[in-house]
Amino acid sequence: MFDWWFRIKFWKRVLLGFVLGTLAGWAFGKDAEVWFGPIGDLYVTLISMIAVPLVFFAVINAVASLSGQKSIAALAGRTFLWFALTAVLAVGVGLLFGWLIQPGAGVGHLVVASDYVPRTVPGPLDMLLNLVPSNPFQALGGAATAKLADGTKVLVPRSGTVLQVIFFAGLVGFAMVKLGDKVAGVRTLVGEASVLMIQVTRYVLEFTPLGTFGLIAALVGGYGFEQLRPLLSFVVALYLACAFHIVVVYSGLLLAHGLNPLKFFRGAAPAMEVAFVASSSFAALPVSLRSATHNLGVDRDYAGFAVPLGATIKMDGCGAIYPALAAVFISQYAGIELSLTQYLIIALASVLGSFGTAGVPGTAVIMATVVLSAAGLPLETIGYLYAIDRVLDMMRTMTNVTGQVLVPVLVARETGLLDRRVYEAAVSNVGVPAGDAAEPVSGKE
């Protein structure tokens, strides 16, 4: 009955929801938040429902399977290395565009957003201790929905974080490897549960076009252009910097690995779209995982480990480009000339801080606070940017998620865990295909 709908490529359906949502928001104004906002809220809740169990079973299955074929420590080390290298490049892009566009020069007097509350930055020891859940069942219930000051509904950690889920699931996976045949039944059950959650994910993702419509309609209807006008140069600088990082830097890395960038962007498009409209790496996680395996041919076991990890600590947009650009903007606005030492401090703080603030709500604001503090810049000035944070977060998050899919592709290519046939035939559909056709199974070269 709905085969015609499923035959339309996923990205086109999401794009249609985006366009119609924009028109609805423009036509209905503030009423769009009331009429269409609940549709977007429902979509965010559905994603929240599936994300944690999907990660839990995927990581257990991944650790148990990878231990038998590849050194998971070597894979993890290679993945972390690429996380760090791409973060360094992202910081450089942020600083470059801050220097080229000069977003803080000539800006009139700005007022700190009325709803801005200074963030307390957790210490390094707190971050490390937070990796271990005191109660794994609380960690598994670690995602909740909350509303920001502007009414936007977002996903936030509750009593645990995704990193805690990954930590506990990793321990369970290693225990299964150690016990071998003694837990053969449990291993089979976990594998079947992982497949089951993938199928549930496919169903939920079919709601994405409608959820996109609701989220964008509420955003456009509730957001006035007057809020953007004073900081339009900063918005332009951020969007250009993120676009450059995605199109130029990521494409260069793909070409260096002998991979066609157009194939990558076609396969990653669904995750990028969801990230843009939902402004949450966690919300995009199920789509990112499907895009990496189903569309781009990354080995499912490796992707089940790398993509969730990336969703918590791989933040090229929020943790690298934005803090670097914000530091340059604030220095220009305040008339403070940055020294070479301060530039180096900004770069180092951005890269290290992006790993350290994993799982903390409002990562971008936390990261900017860390970088400004390290560089000796006035902390309260981050409140100038807070009023437009939702618009900034769309592009930041899309950059985050693109990197979270890119790194597993690069590592899979280097280690023989990439199915080139799937990659070269990259598709953009991650939902239920017409006729419920069987999905490709990613393997190895």
Side-chain angles (χ1 to χ4, degrees):
M1 180 177 177
F2 293 104
D3 282 359
W4 65 271
W5 175 251
F6 295 136
R7 277 195 292 268
I8 301 174
K9 291 184 178 180
F10 183 84
W11 71 268
K12 291 183 178 179
R13 285 180 268 156
V14 175
L15 182 61
L16 179 62
F18 185 93
V19 172
L20 293 178
T22 302
L23 294 175
W26 174 78
F28 286 84
K30 289 287 185 181
D31 290 337
E33 293 182 282
V34 178
W35 288 101
F36 307 120
I39 301 175
D41 292 346
L42 177 60
Y43 174 65
V44 172
T45 303
L46 284 170
I47 292 292
S48 176
M49 174 187 73
I50 64 173
V52 171
L54 177 67
V55 170
F56 180 66
F57 290 116
V59 171
I60 294 178
N61 200 45
V63 172
S65 301
L66 286 173
S67 293
Q69 53 177 282
K70 294 276 183 182
S71 168
I72 194 166
L75 283 173
R78 193 181 289 259
T79 302
F80 271 106
L81 178 61
W82 274 112
F83 283 171
L85 288 175
T86 48
V88 170
L89 294 173
V91 171
V93 169
L95 293 174
L96 173 65
F97 276 80
W99 179 75
L100 289 175
I101 297 178
Q102 301 279 308
V107 178
H109 179 67
L110 298 176
V111 179
V112 175
S114 58
D115 56 347
Y116 171 67
V117 177
R119 298 299 187 101
T120 301
V121 181
L125 183 59
D126 294 330
M127 293 294 182
L128 290 174
L129 293 177
N130 194 47
L131 291 175
V132 182
S134 59
N135 185 332
F137 295 101
Q138 279 188 327
L140 289 170
T145 54
K147 285 194 175 182
L148 301 178
D150 63 359
T152 305
K153 198 168 186 181
V154 296
L155 291 176
V156 297
R158 186 163 55 208
S159 54
T161 67
V162 178
L163 275 179
Q164 290 181 341
V165 173
I166 293 174
F167 181 87
F168 179 66
L171 282 180
V172 173
F174 281 120
M176 288 172 59
V177 173
K178 181 68 175 177
L179 293 173
D181 292 339
K182 294 180 180 178
V183 291
V186 177
R187 186 194 297 268
T188 301
L189 181 62
V190 168
E192 292 173 348
S194 181
V195 173
L196 178 64
M197 283 310 305
I198 290 172
Q199 182 62 43
V200 173
T201 298
R202 293 168 68 189
Y203 291 141
V204 170
L205 293 185
E206 287 305 321
F207 192 72
T208 299
L210 193 57
T212 298
F213 169 81
L215 288 169
I216 293 301
L219 175 66
V220 173
Y223 229 96
F225 181 72
E226 292 302 316
Q227 294 186 47
L228 292 177
R229 192 189 303 275
L231 292 163
L232 190 58
S233 60
F234 184 85
V235 175
V236 171
L238 179 79
Y239 271 62
L240 288 178
C242 289
F244 180 88
H245 190 62
I246 292 172
V247 175
V248 178
V249 175
Y250 288 165
S251 293
L253 293 174
L254 288 164
L255 288 172
H257 283 75
L259 298 173
N260 187 333
L262 294 179
K263 302 289 186 182
F264 170 80
F265 290 120
R266 182 184 301 164
M272 295 170 68
E273 288 174 327
V274 172
F276 187 80
V277 299
S279 296
S280 168
S281 295
F282 189 53
L285 176 55
V287 199
S288 301
L289 191 54
R290 283 283 292 168
S291 294
T293 57
H294 177 264
N295 295 358
L296 296 171
V298 178
D299 178 81
R300 185 177 293 169
D301 294 326
Y302 169 61
F305 159 77
V307 176
L309 183 63
T312 57
I313 67 174
K314 176 62 180 160
M315 306 290 174
D316 281 358
C318 291
I321 293 176
Y322 175 72
L325 186 60
V328 174
F329 165 80
I330 288 167
S331 70
Q332 292 168 355
Y333 177 75
I336 301 172
E337 177 125 6
L338 294 175
S339 65
L340 178 60
T341 301
Q342 284 177 303
Y343 277 114
L344 293 175
I345 289 173
I346 289 170
L348 184 62
S350 297
V351 174
L352 295 180
S354 63
F355 292 106
T357 55
V360 178
T363 299
V365 178
I366 289 283
M367 274 304 311
T369 302
V370 170
V371 172
L372 293 179
S373 177
L377 295 171
L379 297 180
E380 66 276 5
T381 50
I382 196 64
Y384 298 152
L385 302 174
Y386 193 70
I388 59 168
D389 197 65
R390 179 66 173 88
V391 173
L392 299 174
D393 206 24
M394 297 169 76
M395 192 63 177
R396 290 186 316 224
T397 307
M398 187 172 78
T399 308
N400 294 345
V401 168
T402 308
Q404 291 159 15
V405 177
L406 173 85
V407 169
V409 169
L410 298 181
V411 174
R413 169 64 173 150
E414 293 173 346
T415 57
L417 294 175
L418 183 73
D419 190 327
R420 286 298 295 271
R421 292 172 301 173
V422 176
Y423 184 91
E424 294 300 330
V427 296
S428 294
N429 191 51
V430 296
V432 182
D436 199 27
E439 66 177 76
V441 178
S442 63
K444 304 152 191 70
E445 290 183 307

